[in-house]
Amino acid sequence: MLKTVQDLKTALKRGDYSGVVLYEGPSRIDGAPVVAIACRIADASSNAKTGAMVQTFIMRQDIAPHEALKTGDDASVCGDCPLRPINKGPTRCYVRVYQAPLSVWGAYQRRRYAIPGSDFDAALLPELFEGLAFRIGSYGDPAAIPAAVWKTATRRVKNRTGYTHQWRRRIGVGLKNLCMASADSESDVATATARGWRTFRVRKHDAPTLSNESICPASKEGRNRTQCAACGLCKGATIAARNIVIADHGLMDSRRRAVVPNAAL
């Protein structure tokens, strides 16, 4: 077992592991077996919108993400998110699960990720991520796993982003100071704000920005003034700032309009 954070960082840089497992256990949404994995730790991600951030993926342990998407088993990690393709709404999730999520899931099946308690001491996680920008839930809803996992992992990070559709449910309450409430309507913004959340709303291109919202500065309509890694506006209710809004850039919408494809929140 790796005892020091330097040993763990060296193993990651050397390619012994592609990342680390943050959690293995039952989904807090439906009890099914899920896993949360952090990667892009030793090597920075190249996402143009987010910038260099640790990426995290919450997936079923036993079902490949693209298969779970087809069968509806993605509910274990996405809950009742209205953007799930199985809901057949007018807008779909921006994540292409057959790309990064599937790649990460495949690597997990090949045991390419270091497991706490087996490969390294779990107490090293805050130090491992110290000074980095951290993305809570690159795929999957953060509320699918215990909030304590995210609190521990992000204790010393430089910056973080996070979004949850589970803000109405008890399982989401512990994320209020870590994540933004994902809002799908103006009424969602009003309800979540009244409950003490800050919100991140996806609006239609012709819909107005509310008086308590600011346009995401890392978006096309925000003129890409910054990247998520440096912005710091989407870290939940820990800061006193306006709610954030962005124009729809999901798969279905990007096929209809000239918007940035495969952008990431």
Side-chain angles (χ1 to χ4, degrees), residues 105-127:
W105 187 83
Y108 172 68
Q109 301 302 314
R110 300 192 301 274
R111 208 186 180 286
R112 291 290 300 139
Y113 298 102
I115 300 174
S118 176
D119 299 314
F120 71 97
D121 187 341
L124 300 178
L125 286 175
E127 192 175 356

Side-chain angles (χ1 to χ4, degrees), residues 141-182:
D141 195 296
I145 73 171
V149 175
W150 301 118
K151 291 176 182 177
T152 297
T154 61
R155 190 178 298 156
R156 300 185 186 180
V157 298
K158 174 182 66 176
N159 208 347
R160 67 174 188 274
T161 62
Y163 312 88
T164 179
H165 265 101
Q166 306 306 308
W167 53 270
R168 295 179 181 86
R169 300 178 60 184
R170 181 172 294 182
I171 61 172
V173 172
L175 296 172
K176 188 178 294 184
N177 288 331
L178 289 172
C179 298
M180 308 290 280
S182 293

Side-chain angles (χ1 to χ4, degrees), residues 51-124:
M53 302 186 78
V54 174
Q55 305 291 320
T56 61
F57 297 83
I58 311 142
M59 300 174 289
R60 285 284 296 258
Q61 291 185 40
D62 54 341
I63 305 173
H66 66 302
E67 294 297 335
L69 201 74
K70 296 175 186 175
T71 61
D73 289 306
D74 61 329
S76 302
V77 297
C78 294
D80 55 0
C81 176
L83 304 183
R84 291 170 59 216
I86 202 166
N87 289 330
K88 298 181 179 179
T91 303
R92 303 289 178 87
C93 178
Y94 63 89
V95 179
R96 292 165 169 82
V97 295
Y98 52 83
Q99 294 181 345
L102 180 57
S103 177
V104 172
W105 187 83
Y108 172 68
Q109 301 302 314
R110 300 192 301 274
R111 208 186 180 286
R112 291 290 300 139
Y113 298 102
I115 300 174
S118 176
D119 299 314
F120 71 97
D121 187 341
L124 300 178

Side-chain angles (χ1 to χ4, degrees), residues 128-215:
L128 175 65
F129 301 124
E130 184 173 7
L132 301 178
F134 192 100
R135 191 174 173 194
I136 301 175
S138 307
Y139 173 66
D141 195 296
I145 73 171
V149 175
W150 301 118
K151 291 176 182 177
T152 297
T154 61
R155 190 178 298 156
R156 300 185 186 180
V157 298
K158 174 182 66 176
N159 208 347
R160 67 174 188 274
T161 62
Y163 312 88
T164 179
H165 265 101
Q166 306 306 308
W167 53 270
R168 295 179 181 86
R169 300 178 60 184
R170 181 172 294 182
I171 61 172
V173 172
L175 296 172
K176 188 178 294 184
N177 288 331
L178 289 172
C179 298
M180 308 290 280
S182 293
D184 300 298
S185 66
E186 295 180 10
S187 62
D188 277 358
V189 173
T191 301
T193 300
R195 296 184 184 184
W197 289 83
R198 290 182 58 241
T199 64
F200 188 100
R201 181 172 68 97
V202 177
R203 65 170 179 82
K204 294 298 181 183
H205 286 258
D206 56 354
T209 296
L210 304 179
S211 61
N212 63 347
E213 291 179 326
S214 293
I215 293 173

